[in-house]
Amino acid sequence: GDDVDLKNSIRLIREVPDFPEPGVLFRDISPMLADPAALRAITDALGRGLEFDVVAGVEARGFLLGAAVAQAHGTGVIGLRKPGKLPEVADRISYELEYGHATLELPADTLRAGQRVLVVDDVLATGGTLGAACRLVRQAGSEVTAATVVMELAALGGRAKVDGEHVRALLRS
Ligand code: PRP
């Protein structure tokens, strides 16, 4: 059933020590995405019971997940991108990381004011990225139905940076 598929899916997440820097345990969902039953289970669980008009997936693995969720729910998908990739930008937001800062950009002619948006990414770590993605959606005049991830690294406390949003994590570790 659904729960068995979800449990098996989670076993396909790879843990890679010392990436991208020493001391960090990187969670790579690539093998999970490559497995058909896992992709279906994760996709279903991310969007289940939620009402939204469009999906916003965060670069890079959020693009893959976001497109699958959108297709399953009959919506379109928008990629929130790192800077310098888009020819035309509707809006952008910058945010602080532990060391330095980062930016996400909303492509032109995608999101319409008032749309209900499901924000999708793979991992919630410090929360900077997911929080910024939600602020970008709101800044553009739309509303966030929920911010959803496959995995939340709960010990980092990142949920606090996604303040005021409904956060759904399929797995906490
Ligand atoms: C990872 C992950 C999230 C973000 C979470 O992306 O996919 O987008 O970090 O971290 P945070 O909660 O601390 O902000 P990464 O920087 O590896 O970029 P990529 O997906 O483009 O490879």
Side-chain angles (χ1 to χ4, degrees):
D2 291 352
D3 286 351
V4 174
D5 284 344
L6 198 54
K7 280 198 182 110
N8 288 335
S9 306
I10 282 159
R11 295 202 324 239
L12 294 173
I13 298 172
R14 280 177 60 86
E15 297 193 337
V16 185
D18 300 319
F19 186 87
E21 46 193 86
V24 174
L25 181 61
F26 189 86
R27 270 64 166 210
D28 185 8
I29 67 161
S30 300
M32 195 183 74
L33 294 172
D35 182 274
L39 179 60
R40 179 170 297 277
I42 293 293
T43 299
D44 289 350
L46 286 172
R48 185 174 296 138
L50 299 172
E51 287 190 14
F52 50 92
D53 303 308
V54 68
V55 174
V58 182
E59 188 164 350
R61 285 161 295 270
F63 291 174
L64 300 170
L65 283 169
V69 173
Q71 185 80 344
H73 287 259
T75 76
V77 64
I78 297 168
L80 303 182
R81 300 214 63 176
K82 297 188 172 172
K85 306 285 189 178
L86 292 169
E88 289 188 288
V89 175
D91 211 344
R92 62 167 58 82
I93 195 158
S94 292
Y95 57 101
E96 297 305 312
L97 299 173
E98 278 174 281
Y99 304 98
H101 59 93
T103 299
L104 284 178
E105 295 183 341
L106 174 70
D109 292 328
T110 54
L111 188 58
R112 295 195 297 280
Q115 283 190 306
R116 300 166 301 176
V117 182
L118 185 72
V119 177
V120 175
D121 204 355
D122 60 338
V123 174
L124 168 57
T126 67
T129 306
L130 197 63
C134 292
R135 287 198 302 283
L136 181 56
V137 166
R138 291 193 183 283
Q139 184 177 293
S142 297
E143 68 181 75
V144 176
T145 296
T148 61
V149 295
V150 174
M151 176 176 268
E152 175 184 2
L153 309 181
L156 298 179
R159 190 175 275 255
K161 288 209 186 127
V162 201
D163 212 12
E165 308 293 354
H166 172 43
V167 177
R168 169 179 291 182
L170 304 185
L171 176 68
R172 268 173 216 92
S173 103

